[in-house]
Amino acid sequence: MKKFALTLTSLLLISACSTSSTGRQQVMLYSSNELGKMGAQSFEQMKEKEKVNQNATINAYVRCVADAIIPHVPKSTHQGNWEIVVFESEQINAFALPGGKIGVYTGILEVATTDDQLAAIMGHEVAHVIEGHSNERLSSGQLGQLGMAAAGAVLATQDVDNKALWMAGLGLGLQYGVLMPYGRAHESEADIVGQKLMAKAGFDPSASIDLWRNMAKASKGAPPEFLSTHPSNQTRINQLSANLSSAQQYYSDSNKTSCQRPTK
């Protein structure tokens, strides 16, 4: 069982190895077609579960930002039209899914106080799709389960006390030592790729830094970074600040975009 698991894992890693646009090594076990179907199905479920905002002005504002960003998304990410839906919720959140789906909660509009800041949010979320992060997360989960199963099989054949405790420890190590840092790497990558994307679309990339300052004010009491799948707000601000000069070059060459923010 141990040899089989190790051999299978090695074959999967070799056959599914890829590289992100920032040069980070990736393991992706799913095809873009599979991910697109998953994304479309999840989005339909979201529309059934959540209240969809019908305010024409708010929808036009969100659509304006999305329409500026989408032409700068690589065609390999999604071919065809993108579906953008505004959900009526106080959640400070937004998301993008494989298959050309973008969801924005009205709560995020209270934190993203300008069109440039909303572009930073949407650029970040679309960057997750560009870089195949959902594929990576699903793939890492599969490999993690395989590793735990192999460890359990090995322990079952050994004279080891407290097998359950060992397995619990392995699971905790996998969560905090591998999967959470993996998630933080995704978030940092999406911040940088998203900042570049918003700049190409004609939005001021410095607004991404202002956005995360606003987020810091809105997320008091967040868990320490090592216990979270996301980098701390200050880490994000530092990384975006360090990358700003690079993003500004794209902004300087862009056709500047302006979207009218709805008045209350």
Side-chain angles (χ1 to χ4, degrees):
M1 177 63 188
K2 181 181 179 181
K3 290 181 179 179
F4 171 77
L6 290 173
T7 301
L8 180 59
T9 301
S10 298
L11 288 173
L12 287 171
L13 289 171
I14 292 169
S15 63
C17 188
S18 182
T19 305
S20 73
S21 70
T22 64
R24 186 177 53 80
Q25 292 298 303
Q26 300 172 290
V27 175
M28 297 194 284
L29 305 179
Y30 296 85
S31 69
S32 58
N33 186 48
E34 288 174 310
L35 267 293
K37 289 180 179 178
M38 291 181 197
Q41 183 179 24
S42 297
F43 203 62
E44 289 304 313
Q45 292 173 351
M46 288 288 296
K47 290 191 291 185
E48 292 177 4
K49 178 183 176 182
E50 304 285 346
K51 181 180 178 180
V52 176
N53 179 278
Q54 301 296 337
N55 185 296
T57 305
I58 292 175
N59 277 266
Y61 172 58
V62 172
R63 183 82 219 193
C64 175
V65 175
D67 283 347
I69 290 173
I70 288 169
H72 301 278
V73 177
K75 294 299 182 184
S76 57
T77 300
H78 175 69
Q79 296 192 20
N81 295 326
W82 285 70
E83 183 179 5
I84 295 90
V85 174
V86 180
F87 295 101
E88 187 67 42
S89 171
E90 294 182 356
Q91 286 190 58
I92 303 173
N93 205 0
F95 63 90
L97 297 173
K101 311 295 181 182
I102 297 175
V104 175
Y105 292 92
T106 53
I108 198 69
L109 302 180
E110 301 300 317
V111 178
T113 57
T114 68
D115 56 343
D116 294 306
Q117 290 181 25
L118 179 58
I121 281 288
M122 295 179 73
H124 169 95
E125 297 303 332
V126 171
H128 279 305
V129 181
I130 293 172
E131 299 301 333
H133 292 163
S134 56
N135 196 334
E136 282 191 88
R137 293 304 296 272
L138 288 168
S139 301
S140 65
Q142 289 277 16
L143 293 173
Q145 290 178 11
L146 181 61
M148 289 294 291
V154 171
L155 284 173
T157 65
Q158 305 297 316
D159 185 18
V160 178
D161 294 331
N162 299 319
K163 290 185 177 68
L165 188 61
W166 274 94
M167 288 302 295
L170 286 170
L172 193 65
L174 180 68
Q175 180 72 7
Y176 291 110
V178 180
L179 298 183
M180 280 190 173
Y182 205 35
R184 291 197 291 273
H186 288 170
E187 291 298 319
S188 293
E189 187 169 65
D191 280 346
I192 300 306
V193 174
Q195 188 183 47
K196 174 181 174 180
L197 184 61
M198 69 179 288
K200 286 183 174 182
F203 295 101
D204 185 354
S206 67
S208 61
I209 299 167
D210 296 331
L211 169 71
W212 285 105
R213 289 186 177 127
N214 292 351
M215 285 287 202
K217 295 176 183 177
S219 61
K220 291 180 179 179
E225 183 171 350
F226 77 94
L227 292 177
S228 173
T229 57
H230 291 57
S232 69
N233 293 312
Q234 190 57 53
T235 294
R236 304 182 96 138
I237 289 168
N238 294 344
Q239 290 171 343
L240 288 164
S241 297
N243 192 64
L244 183 58
S245 61
S246 175
Q248 286 284 9
Q249 296 177 20
Y250 294 102
Y251 181 55
S252 298
D253 296 335
S254 71
N255 295 318
K256 305 303 182 286
T257 302
S258 178
C259 297
Q260 184 62 45
R261 179 178 168 82
T263 56
K264 292 185 178 180

